């Protein structure tokens, strides 16, 4: 599976190395263009030691961590005014989170399915148009998805023992929300997991 994902990553790296002009972003990816402007604004905040400007990224439904990660990855290219790489690097970061999400899907499915079925399930996820569309643009969707799937991975490892994997899953879910606030819609999953035994016991009492 790792070899398959490596090939997919190479394909994404090649496909993303196109349309690296700011004019393209302005016309075809409004979010990407606006996010690029946010990185430049945060960069200016660092250079001028303006803390307020550094934290002013203007998209508060998306977390600071998302922008900070991309800023530090593109920082040397912004310094060199290499605008093509400041567009390309965030796409690569998105691709890494996408590939990592698919790998986690494979790891989770291996706990319940044989290797062939797990690979097939992963390939089905890769074949979906949304996988490719969301890796071509500078957006937090795959970063959020990665942390949500990582949460599920830790919860399956914990298996209702409420030990270290539950805490790791909780931290991962917090990072998902910190990446994109829409991840909060998955919070019932956490509550259902935590209170599963209580709900099951109450159901058994009602039955008798």
């Amino acid at each position: 599976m790792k070899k398959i994902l490596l090939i997919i990553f190479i394909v994404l790296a090649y496909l993303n190395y196109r349309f690296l002009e700011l004019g393209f972003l302005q016309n075809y990816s409004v979010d990407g263009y606006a996010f690029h402007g946010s990185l430049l604004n945060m960069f200016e905040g660092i250079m001028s030691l303006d803390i307020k400007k550094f934290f002013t990224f203007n998209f508060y439904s998306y977390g600071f961590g998302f922008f900070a990660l991309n800023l530090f990855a593109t920082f040397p290219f912004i310094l060199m005014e290499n605008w093509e790489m400041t567009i390309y690097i965030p796409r690569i970061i998105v691709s890494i989170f996408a590939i990592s999400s698919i790998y986690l899907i494979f790891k989770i499915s291996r706990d319940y399915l044989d290797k062939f079925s797990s690979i097939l399930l992963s390939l089905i996820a890769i074949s979906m148009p949304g996988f490719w569309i969301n890796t071509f643009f500078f957006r937090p969707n795959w970063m959020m998805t990665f942390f949500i799937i990582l949460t599920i991975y830790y919860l399956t490892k914990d298996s209702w023992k409420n030990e270290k994997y539950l805490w790791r899953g909780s931290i991962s879910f917090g990072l998902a929300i910190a990446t994109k606030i829409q991840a909060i819609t998955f919070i019932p999953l956490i509550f259902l997991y935590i209170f599963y035994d209580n709900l099951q016991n109450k159901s058994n009492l009602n039955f008798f």
Side-chain angles (χ1 to χ4, degrees):
M1 188 64 201
K2 291 181 180 179
K3 292 181 180 179
I4 295 174
L5 293 178
L6 178 60
I7 293 171
I8 297 297
F9 178 74
I10 292 172
V11 171
L12 287 172
Y14 170 74
L15 293 176
N16 276 316
Y17 198 69
R18 304 178 304 157
F19 309 116
L20 299 177
E21 302 82 16
L22 288 174
F24 174 83
L25 291 183
Q26 191 173 14
N27 291 324
Y28 295 99
S29 178
V30 177
D31 286 348
Y33 182 75
F35 293 166
H36 186 268
S38 295
L39 294 185
L40 295 180
N41 188 69
M42 293 171 72
F43 173 82
E44 291 174 3
I46 292 176
M47 300 305 291
S48 62
L49 300 179
D50 187 339
I51 296 177
K52 182 178 179 181
K53 196 169 188 179
F54 176 63
F55 285 98
T56 304
F57 47 90
N58 299 322
F59 294 91
Y60 299 108
S61 62
Y62 305 141
F64 170 77
F66 167 70
F67 289 99
L69 173 63
N70 285 278
L71 173 63
F72 292 125
T74 58
F75 195 89
F77 302 106
I78 298 176
L79 274 175
M80 295 183 291
E81 297 186 1
N82 187 338
W83 307 124
E84 289 187 350
M85 291 304 294
T86 61
I87 295 172
Y88 181 64
I89 294 299
R91 293 180 184 178
I92 291 298
I93 292 174
V94 169
S95 297
I96 290 172
F97 278 112
I99 294 296
S100 300
S101 298
I102 298 298
Y103 182 69
L104 284 176
I105 290 173
F106 172 76
K107 290 282 288 183
I108 294 170
S109 60
R110 281 295 286 128
D111 290 337
Y112 305 97
L113 303 171
D114 59 81
K115 187 174 182 180
F116 176 78
S117 299
S118 299
I119 292 175
L120 182 61
L121 184 64
S122 301
L123 291 176
I124 290 173
I126 292 171
S127 67
M128 293 180 177
F131 172 84
W132 299 92
I133 292 171
N134 285 294
T135 54
F136 290 151
F137 297 105
F138 176 20
R139 293 171 182 167
N141 299 340
W142 271 119
M143 185 174 174
M144 176 194 73
T145 301
F146 168 78
F147 285 118
I148 289 174
I149 298 176
L150 184 62
T151 301
I152 295 171
Y153 172 76
Y154 281 135
L155 293 183
T156 58
K157 288 294 182 183
D158 183 70
S159 190
W160 285 285
K161 296 176 183 176
N162 295 336
E163 296 179 353
K164 62 180 181 180
Y165 286 113
L166 174 60
W167 296 110
R168 292 178 185 179
S170 300
I171 292 170
S172 179
F173 185 65
L175 290 172
I177 296 175
T179 301
K180 191 175 181 181
I181 192 64
Q182 284 83 346
I184 202 170
T185 57
F186 287 86
I187 204 167
L189 172 68
I190 304 297
F191 280 106
L192 180 63
Y193 180 86
I194 293 173
F195 297 109
Y196 176 78
D197 285 340
N198 292 334
L199 292 172
Q200 193 176 43
N201 292 333
K202 185 177 180 180
S203 177
N204 290 335
L205 287 173
N206 289 338
F207 178 78
F208 289 107

